[in-house]
Amino acid sequence: MKTNVRQEKRAQTRHRGSVQSSFVQARQIYDHLLCLSNGFVNVLAVEGISYDLKSPEDQILLNEQFQQLLAGLSYPVQILWRVLPVNLNAYLDQFTFLPSQEESEGIWPLLSATHAAFFQQLAERRTLLNRTIYLVLQVDGKGKPQSRAQRLFSRKRRLHWAQQLEQARQDLDLRSSEVMRQLADMNLSVKRLRGEQELVPFYYSCLTPSKADRFPLAPAVIDALGRPIQTPHLTHVTPSMERQDKALVVAGASPSALPEPPRGFGQLADLVAPAAISVAPDCLTVEKEYSRTLLIHHLPRTVSIGWLKPLADLDEPMEISFHFQPLSSASMIQQLRRQNRSYRSSQMMAQRKGNDTDPNTKIAGDDVNDLLPRLASGEERMLTVSLLVQIRASSKRVLNERTARIHAVLHSMLLVAHEALFEQEKAFRSCLPHGHCEFPGMLLDSRSASTLFPFLSNTLYHPQGVLEGVTPQGDPVIIDPWNEDMANANRLIIGPPGWGKSHGNKGTVIRQILKAVCAQRDTREMDDLGFQAITIDPEREYAHP
């Protein structure tokens, strides 16, 4: 009898597979916190800016503001730079008009067809890419108890977890508020990802971007995490049985304030984890997709402002991870003083022997002498900076070709990079939004590190927007004026006569109406179009001929 009970308990216990334990650290989500197995994470979505449109004075000002942000850091920061192909089919579905027999000769089928043909021509010329930037803030934590020994003291552990969660929330709220304020001073639009419906798809896309694009997680599936499956038509739902969103607990709350779903319910790690990850010396195979990571480990002696622009303009799908780890100024000052004494003693020894001073030693000593006062005054801070470039492809041949092109661009930028041979597993984890890098970084002062300035983007793409134009590089500009990332929907169009102001505005209005007509047919609400354009036209430019 006891043997049967033990077997039943073992069958009910779900052991987390090797992919979940080795790669997927996400465990639960509470409000805006992504709870990892070893800490907590906040994710900020940052809208990039076009560096080319800024004047030299504005570029210098942006660089100084970013330098102040880095100099004031006392915690690690990760910046994810994601360049992924645009899902044209999902976007064009909003403008697909399937006419009936009576409507086949109307204007809407023609507009829908020409709109789709234009995008197909753009896609044939070059790969259409969407560039997104995320900033990850992380605090350490021990995570939720997972072992059987820890579950024996579940009540005590829950209280400890509740206090730890509240402390992490307070720390991340303070850090996020300060970072968002400094980014707003740079005129950057910042949004904090909140809740399961935003954080789960983001983490899922970081693991398997192509799969997340083709098969996105439905909101109903995400809602089922940690909850039983219900049948409303069979069960009478009372107000007390209605689902309530997960909320953060306060320190000193009771254990029941932090729900811990039974292990038989759906778990976040099991939902987003790839089916399998095969590890090879030079790449990983994540399900059916190949992944390779390049590690940038040396920079040129002199770097200029915005030197990352050639990499930002590259038409290759890739994901770049920047890790900034601040170091203690007191310990760095002590090390630099020791190094400075070494340089001075070398120069004195050369003078006593009647030899010329080594110019490299003299330059290094001058650099240290210049850096020490700025570190002591707090104007500068030393950081370890890690740069990783993750490349994905559907086949090994495409992966090798894409790697060669990106490697050539990095070489032209005077950057020294190599494949993380026999360390692709560590590199893959370092590119995930965990806020931690498993590789040693390059030692830079905040002034030199600020020349990276990763908030670069020449594209503007809103999935629910309409086409406004095309950039000089050939990327479509798709804007949704009512997007929550936009400050407001107002716009002012100014230009000399004959530059296409009226033509561009007419095209935008027509595409908005086409989108509304297609949405009306999908919802079968023929009486309400859902869109209205009011034109004040003193010169009758919009009048029918």
Side-chain angles (χ1 to χ4, degrees), residues 27 36-40 140-146 150 160-161 164:
R27 294 297 177 257
L36 308 178
S37 58
N38 59 351
F40 306 88
D140 294 330
K142 297 180 180 179
K144 298 193 66 175
Q146 298 294 336
Q150 288 176 330
H160 175 68
W161 166 256
Q164 192 179 45

Side-chain angles (χ1 to χ4, degrees), residues 487-537:
N488 54 63
N490 303 327
R491 66 175 64 185
L492 178 64
I493 303 175
I494 301 176
W499 279 34
K501 300 185 300 297
S502 298
H503 177 78
N505 196 43
K506 291 175 185 177
T508 300
V509 172
I510 290 175
R511 296 185 191 102
Q512 289 279 11
I513 298 176
L514 173 63
K515 180 181 175 182
V517 170
C518 295
Q520 181 190 45
R521 290 177 60 85
D522 294 339
T523 57
R524 301 184 184 277
E525 296 179 1
M526 306 305 294
D527 296 334
D528 185 14
L529 184 59
F531 178 82
Q532 185 180 22
I534 301 176
T535 303
I536 301 175
D537 184 20

Side-chain angles (χ1 to χ4, degrees), residues 280-284 291-293 396 399-400 419-422 424:
D282 62 337
C283 68
L284 299 179
S291 171
R292 176 180 293 157
T293 303
K396 191 68 173 292
L399 181 67
N400 292 334
E419 299 177 11
L421 293 176
F422 295 97
Q424 289 292 325

Side-chain angles (χ1 to χ4, degrees), residues 235-541:
T235 305
H236 177 67
V237 180
T238 61
S240 61
M241 296 172 59
E242 293 180 356
R243 183 185 67 84
Q244 297 181 355
D245 293 335
K246 296 179 180 178
L248 288 171
V249 298
V250 296
S254 62
S256 60
L258 182 63
E260 185 176 357
R263 296 185 62 83
F265 294 158
Q267 303 294 321
L268 174 59
D270 297 332
L271 176 63
V272 301
I277 296 181
S278 301
V279 182
D282 62 337
C283 68
L284 299 179
T285 304
V286 185
E287 293 190 355
K288 297 181 180 180
E289 187 178 42
Y290 291 86
S291 171
R292 176 180 293 157
T293 303
L294 303 179
L295 179 62
I296 300 175
H297 54 86
H298 277 87
L299 302 181
R301 160 72 177 167
T302 304
V303 291
S304 58
I305 298 176
W307 59 270
L308 274 181
K309 187 179 179 301
L311 197 59
D313 294 339
L314 185 61
D315 296 335
E316 293 289 348
M318 58 184 172
E319 297 168 77
I320 304 178
S321 182
F322 304 82
H323 291 270
F324 299 92
Q325 175 69 47
L327 303 176
S328 172
S329 296
S331 61
M332 288 306 305
I333 290 174
Q334 185 177 2
Q335 294 180 26
L336 290 175
R337 283 178 175 173
R338 188 182 305 115
Q339 190 69 29
N340 192 26
R341 288 194 294 268
S342 175
Y343 292 146
R344 291 175 58 186
S345 63
S346 298
Q347 294 177 14
M348 293 174 63
M349 290 292 294
Q351 291 176 0
R352 289 179 181 178
K353 294 180 180 181
N355 299 329
D356 294 334
T357 304
D358 185 7
N360 293 327
T361 303
K362 186 177 185 304
I363 293 175
D366 294 340
D367 291 342
V368 172
N369 286 329
D370 180 61
L371 182 59
L372 277 172
R374 290 187 279 122
L375 280 178
S377 64
E379 180 184 352
E380 293 277 2
R381 179 181 287 273
M382 300 301 295
L383 308 103
T384 56
V385 182
S386 303
L387 274 73
L388 299 98
V389 182
Q390 188 177 21
I391 309 167
R392 303 178 190 253
S394 58
S395 66
K396 191 68 173 292
R397 179 185 61 84
V398 177
L399 181 67
N400 292 334
E401 294 174 354
R402 190 167 291 168
T403 302
R405 290 193 294 266
I406 294 178
H407 215 297
V409 173
L410 295 176
H411 180 71
S412 66
M413 299 169 61
L414 304 180
L415 303 179
V416 181
H418 68 264
E419 299 177 11
L421 293 176
F422 295 97
E423 294 181 315
Q424 289 292 325
E425 186 177 356
K426 294 169 55 178
F428 185 84
R429 287 195 297 264
S430 299
C431 292
L432 293 176
H434 297 159
H436 174 69
C437 183
E438 300 185 25
F439 292 93
M442 301 171 289
L443 183 62
L444 298 175
D445 61 275
S446 56
R447 180 175 299 179
S448 300
S450 65
T451 59
L452 290 167
F453 195 78
F455 307 111
L456 304 176
S457 178
N458 292 327
T459 62
L460 186 56
Y461 175 76
H462 294 156
Q464 304 298 323
V466 298
L467 179 67
E468 297 280 355
V470 180
T471 65
Q473 291 79 18
D475 290 317
V477 178
I478 299 175
I479 301 177
D480 180 11
W482 294 276
N483 188 282
E484 59 182 6
D485 295 336
M486 304 289 285
N488 54 63
N490 303 327
R491 66 175 64 185
L492 178 64
I493 303 175
I494 301 176
W499 279 34
K501 300 185 300 297
S502 298
H503 177 78
N505 196 43
K506 291 175 185 177
T508 300
V509 172
I510 290 175
R511 296 185 191 102
Q512 289 279 11
I513 298 176
L514 173 63
K515 180 181 175 182
V517 170
C518 295
Q520 181 190 45
R521 290 177 60 85
D522 294 339
T523 57
R524 301 184 184 277
E525 296 179 1
M526 306 305 294
D527 296 334
D528 185 14
L529 184 59
F531 178 82
Q532 185 180 22
I534 301 176
T535 303
I536 301 175
D537 184 20
E539 299 182 1
R540 299 184 60 82
E541 292 185 19

Side-chain angles (χ1 to χ4, degrees), residues 63-280:
N63 186 78
E64 292 177 352
Q65 291 175 325
F66 188 52
Q67 188 269 337
Q68 293 174 5
L69 187 151
L70 294 178
L73 286 180
S74 59
Y75 44 83
V77 169
Q78 179 185 7
I79 297 178
L80 286 177
W81 195 6
R82 311 191 69 206
V83 184
L84 303 176
V86 175
N87 189 350
L88 277 182
N89 294 330
Y91 173 74
L92 292 177
D93 285 345
Q94 306 173 85
F95 300 88
T96 301
F97 189 90
L98 300 176
S100 60
Q101 187 174 3
E102 295 81 6
E103 299 172 328
S104 58
E105 300 297 331
I107 186 64
W108 302 120
L110 178 61
L111 288 175
S112 178
T114 55
H115 188 263
F118 177 75
F119 271 92
Q120 295 299 332
Q121 292 177 1
L122 286 180
E124 291 174 359
R125 298 174 187 172
R126 65 193 299 272
T127 304
L128 300 182
L129 301 172
N130 181 29
R131 293 170 171 84
T132 54
I133 304 170
Y134 298 93
L135 191 146
V136 181
L137 302 174
Q138 183 255 0
V139 295
D140 294 330
K142 297 180 180 179
K144 298 193 66 175
Q146 298 294 336
S147 66
R148 295 181 181 178
Q150 288 176 330
R151 287 198 296 271
L152 293 176
F153 306 97
S154 59
R155 179 180 179 83
K156 182 178 180 180
R157 290 290 179 178
R158 284 175 185 169
L159 285 172
H160 175 68
W161 166 256
Q163 296 172 357
Q164 192 179 45
L165 185 68
E166 174 63 17
Q167 182 64 41
R169 184 192 67 81
Q170 294 178 1
D171 293 343
L172 286 175
D173 282 348
L174 291 174
R175 296 179 182 181
S176 299
S177 300
E178 178 62 21
V179 171
M180 292 175 69
R181 181 190 65 80
Q182 292 180 317
L183 293 178
D185 292 340
M186 305 180 201
N187 294 324
L188 295 173
S189 176
V190 189
K191 172 192 172 185
R192 183 188 298 186
L193 299 188
R194 294 179 177 271
E196 295 176 338
Q197 297 299 335
E198 292 184 354
L199 286 170
V200 172
F202 165 72
Y203 195 84
Y204 180 51
S205 176
C206 290
L207 288 167
T208 53
S210 60
K211 180 181 177 181
D213 189 30
R214 290 183 287 114
F215 307 106
L217 295 175
V221 175
I222 299 176
D223 286 338
L225 288 174
R227 304 182 183 96
I229 306 301
Q230 298 181 349
T231 52
H233 62 284
L234 297 178
T235 305
H236 177 67
V237 180
T238 61
S240 61
M241 296 172 59
E242 293 180 356
R243 183 185 67 84
Q244 297 181 355
D245 293 335
K246 296 179 180 178
L248 288 171
V249 298
V250 296
S254 62
S256 60
L258 182 63
E260 185 176 357
R263 296 185 62 83
F265 294 158
Q267 303 294 321
L268 174 59
D270 297 332
L271 176 63
V272 301
I277 296 181
S278 301
V279 182

